Amino acid sequence: MGPLQCNCTILGDEEAGEAIVIDPGDEIVRIERRLNELRLELKQILITHGHIDHVGGALKLKRRTGAPILMNENDLPLVKMMGQQAAWLGVETPEVAAPDENLADGMTVGLEKIPAQVIHTPGHTQGSVCLHLAPMKLLIAGDTLFAGSIGRTDLPGGNGRQIIDSIQSRLMTMADETRVIPGHGMRTTIGEERRENPFLTGSW
Ligand SMILES: [Zn+2]
């Protein structure tokens, strides 16, 4: 979605007719159209971190669907500086609001049949979280882990040592076959990143 091509994920339980949306950064009409096509009612809007390309469309989507927004409270300062974030990209400032609920470490969110565990992985930002959908062997990684790379740590709230520590201690403990949907770019797996990601193998 949007100019930075953030990966927005829709996960649905077709039997229950319910869905969650992760990181609706932009193009809300497109997300809504897809939910309607799939006949899914949106239950939660989950935000991996407070950067504009991930959270920019959340309030609009909330207004159109009534679903609550959940984001880690440590990224509230980033939400408050949305004007500055928009200026970095040279885009219009989206209307944003504080989340309805804090995505705290260890909490279970998502749908009854699609539970997602919140893993706080600070480093890209202080409020960055990953969502682990253990029954699906799926990790939604936000901008913490990418295929062959990791999130940048040079923006406000970023910390290079902390992101490596978060990945090593919280993500690399998962099974090799865990599929990873990063915040940008191609999908990968935990095993592939463990073997080949230069930021983790020490070859960088
Ligand atoms: Zn980001």
Side-chain angles (χ1 to χ4, degrees):
M1 300 291 173
L4 293 186
Q5 290 290 290
C6 166
N7 288 328
C8 170
T9 304
I10 300 173
L11 292 172
D13 174 351
E14 287 172 303
E15 253 170 58
E18 297 176 340
I20 53 175
V21 166
I22 302 147
D23 285 354
D26 204 348
E27 301 186 54
I28 295 312
V29 172
R30 210 174 126 204
I31 297 170
E32 223 186 348
R33 196 188 310 138
R34 189 69 184 135
L35 288 168
N36 290 337
E37 275 168 14
L38 297 167
R39 296 176 197 280
L40 297 172
E41 189 195 333
L42 183 57
K43 290 294 181 184
Q44 282 173 349
I45 301 165
L46 304 172
I47 309 297
T48 61
H49 65 288
H51 280 154
I52 186 169
D53 51 326
H54 296 257
V55 73
L59 185 60
K60 193 170 169 189
L61 187 60
K62 174 186 168 174
R63 287 194 179 134
R64 292 169 78 117
T65 60
I69 300 171
L70 289 82
M71 188 192 81
N72 186 275
E73 62 189 7
N74 292 301
D75 270 0
L76 269 173
L78 289 173
V79 171
K80 287 189 184 130
M81 54 186 279
M82 201 50 61
Q84 203 175 322
Q85 290 200 48
W88 292 336
L89 297 179
V91 297
E92 236 177 273
T93 307
E95 210 185 323
V96 287
D100 298 286
E101 210 181 324
N102 176 29
L103 270 186
D105 187 58
M107 190 176 158
T108 300
V109 293
L111 305 173
E112 203 186 322
K113 282 197 200 142
I114 311 179
Q117 202 199 351
V118 178
I119 305 173
H120 183 213
T121 51
H124 175 62
T125 65
Q126 287 307 300
S128 282
V129 299
C130 295
L131 296 168
H132 188 208
L133 297 104
M136 298 171 79
K137 291 190 175 150
L138 178 67
L139 180 76
I140 310 283
D143 285 2
T144 297
L145 181 65
F146 298 127
S149 189
I150 60 171
R152 61 189 287 186
T153 54
D154 59 330
L155 295 171
N159 182 318
R161 256 183 305 135
Q162 204 180 21
I163 193 171
I164 296 286
D165 185 55
S166 288
I167 295 169
Q168 295 286 18
S169 67
R170 307 298 307 274
L171 305 185
M172 288 302 131
T173 48
M174 291 176 189
D176 276 351
E177 63 269 27
T178 309
R179 293 174 295 164
V180 179
I181 299 179
H184 301 268
M186 305 234 295
R187 293 182 196 199
T188 181
T189 64
I190 289 293
E192 236 169 286
E193 296 316 306
R194 196 195 316 280
R195 282 190 306 273
E196 282 159 31
N197 191 313
F199 293 88
L200 306 177
T201 58
S203 55
W204 177 66

